Amino acid sequence: MYGSRGAGVFAGRRMSAVVLGAALLITGCSSSDGGDGSEEPADAGAGITQQPKKKAPFWVNPDGTAAQQLAELEKSGKKQEAEEIRKIAEQPTAEWVGPDDPQQQTRGLTEAADKAGRTALLVLYNIPHRDCGQYSQGGAADGNAYRDWVDGVAAGIGDRPATIVLEPDALLHLVDGCTPQQFHEERYDLLKGAVTKLKSLKNTKVYLDAGNAGWQNPDQIFEPLNRAGIAQADGFSVNVSNFYSTEDSIAYGKKLSAKVGGKHFVIDTSRNGKGPYTDGKPDERWCNPPGRSLGETPTTKTADPLVDAYLWVKRPGESDGECKGGPKAGQWWADYALKLAKATG
């Protein structure tokens, strides 16, 4: 990721995402509430429990990286550490759709979520020229490849419930000059097309990414949001993979909402329990900062009517990139995950 933004692609999970999608199509999950709104948590399998639907309607993946770490710790008798990792494993966290066979991936994920009586939470992060050549560089080869990829995502979702965070940092990198000027018009067109395609689905919500409270003033981003199709979207997302406090994120989001027709927004609270890191090099404070903690757990019961949900968009414990001793962006970092969990009150 570039500068202070820090979206961080889950590159280490690209191959496993396709395998996971196929596996979920076969196994699925069951729900103890049958979708009737009962507050009894559902057994998600592998010792992982779904959160009460009225509090957090999003799906907990029983085969996620944190769940796998939990199982390994329990098997080795490290019960105390296992209970710390359970703080992550039992919360609904976004699935970042990989570049390969998006239809199979999203079909598997949304079918498993639907069988559990929950909504799949997905992140699309495959825009061409992604991340300006930094830790999470990559993306579709060109505009046509991206359109085909989005079509595959949509075909896999179908009529099943899904909430999508669309292209973290894609707009910010147009504003901060990171993405070359010759790609700007195409990117607006691709984002607007993606919003249109995804909103044509029966039960899909779409939130365009709009940066974080570190920008302070939203004047630079509201017009790009308009050009990218915010009018058709359900709203925008803030603080994806970053650490700004929920309070600051709400203030930033409300200022921006007032400039884009009163649109609602969602906040990534996955790692913002202690706010942003303020030491070290300013341009890398976002990358695997020490001393952070988990934030508010995912819920649709928020502190402001404009905030549709607190979400864990970035999976706590997965690296932001090869900085401060971390592995490649998106790879599970067990030590960091444990520190996040232990630091949480």
Side-chain angles (χ1 to χ4, degrees):
M1 203 33 261
Y2 175 81
S4 64
R5 262 56 84 187
V9 64
F10 291 179
R13 301 170 62 203
R14 288 177 180 175
M15 180 179 71
S16 62
V18 177
V19 177
L20 172 63
L24 291 171
L25 281 171
I26 298 171
T27 61
C29 297
S30 61
S31 170
S32 66
D33 67 9
D36 63 3
S38 168
E39 286 301 300
E40 181 183 357
D43 182 1
I48 302 300
T49 301
Q50 297 287 350
Q51 293 299 313
K53 189 173 182 179
K54 288 183 179 180
K55 174 180 179 291
F58 305 103
W59 177 60
V60 177
N61 183 352
D63 296 312
T65 49
Q68 294 172 25
Q69 180 70 38
L70 170 61
E72 290 175 8
L73 289 168
E74 289 183 335
K75 185 176 180 180
S76 60
K78 299 179 180 179
K79 293 184 179 181
Q80 186 173 353
E81 292 185 3
E83 288 309 301
E84 295 292 347
I85 295 299
R86 187 178 292 278
K87 295 176 184 178
I88 299 173
E90 290 198 336
Q91 295 300 328
T93 309
E95 301 289 340
W96 293 55
V97 181
D100 302 320
D101 201 347
Q103 182 171 346
Q104 181 178 348
Q105 291 180 61
T106 54
R107 184 171 69 248
L109 294 166
T110 55
E111 284 194 355
D114 197 38
K115 288 178 181 178
R118 300 300 193 275
T119 296
L121 178 60
L122 308 173
V123 180
L124 303 195
Y125 189 52
N126 196 38
I127 202 79
H129 318 291
R130 186 185 67 202
D131 201 31
C132 312
Q134 300 299 308
Y135 290 126
S136 298
Q137 63 183 288
D142 55 35
N144 287 333
Y146 184 75
R147 293 182 185 94
D148 289 343
W149 183 78
V150 171
D151 286 346
V153 168
I157 293 172
D159 288 344
R160 289 177 292 278
T163 293
I164 293 175
V165 173
L166 183 60
E167 296 298 342
D169 291 342
L171 288 176
L172 287 182
H173 286 329
L174 299 182
V175 175
D176 66 12
C178 172
T179 300
Q181 183 67 38
Q182 64 263 35
F183 302 130
H184 286 206
E185 288 302 320
E186 178 187 59
R187 180 165 294 185
Y188 284 123
D189 181 69
L190 293 177
L191 290 171
K192 192 169 185 178
V195 171
T196 300
K197 182 68 178 184
L198 297 166
K199 283 305 299 175
S200 72
L201 303 176
K202 185 178 180 181
N203 293 302
T204 296
K205 292 184 177 181
V206 179
Y207 295 89
L208 268 167
D209 188 63
N212 57 64
W215 277 62
Q216 302 296 327
N217 193 322
D219 285 347
Q220 289 179 292
I221 195 68
F222 80 88
E223 187 54 37
L225 276 172
N226 286 330
R227 294 181 65 183
I230 189 66
Q232 284 186 274
D234 293 275
F236 56 91
S237 59
V238 300
N239 204 48
V240 170
S241 296
N242 221 300
F243 301 84
Y244 289 95
S245 71
T246 302
E247 181 181 7
D248 288 346
S249 296
I250 290 175
Y252 170 77
K254 290 177 75 171
K255 289 178 182 177
L256 183 52
S257 173
K259 294 178 177 290
V260 291
K263 285 290 184 176
H264 287 208
F265 57 99
V266 295
I267 301 171
D268 185 354
T269 60
S270 57
R271 304 179 300 176
N272 73 345
K274 294 189 183 300
Y277 184 59
T278 57
D279 295 328
K281 296 180 180 179
D283 62 349
E284 282 211 348
R285 286 172 178 168
W286 60 268
C287 192
N288 300 323
R292 302 307 93 191
S293 72
L294 305 175
E296 289 96 339
T297 54
T299 183
T300 53
K301 298 183 181 301
T302 69
D304 192 280
L306 280 174
V307 183
D308 285 346
Y310 301 146
L311 303 176
W312 283 11
V313 182
K314 170 75 173 183
R315 187 181 300 279
E318 291 189 346
S319 177
D320 293 314
E322 296 172 274
C323 57
K324 302 182 182 71
K328 291 183 179 180
Q331 290 188 0
W332 180 255
W333 190 3
D335 183 59
Y336 195 79
L338 194 59
K339 288 177 179 177
L340 285 172
K342 285 183 174 180
T344 305

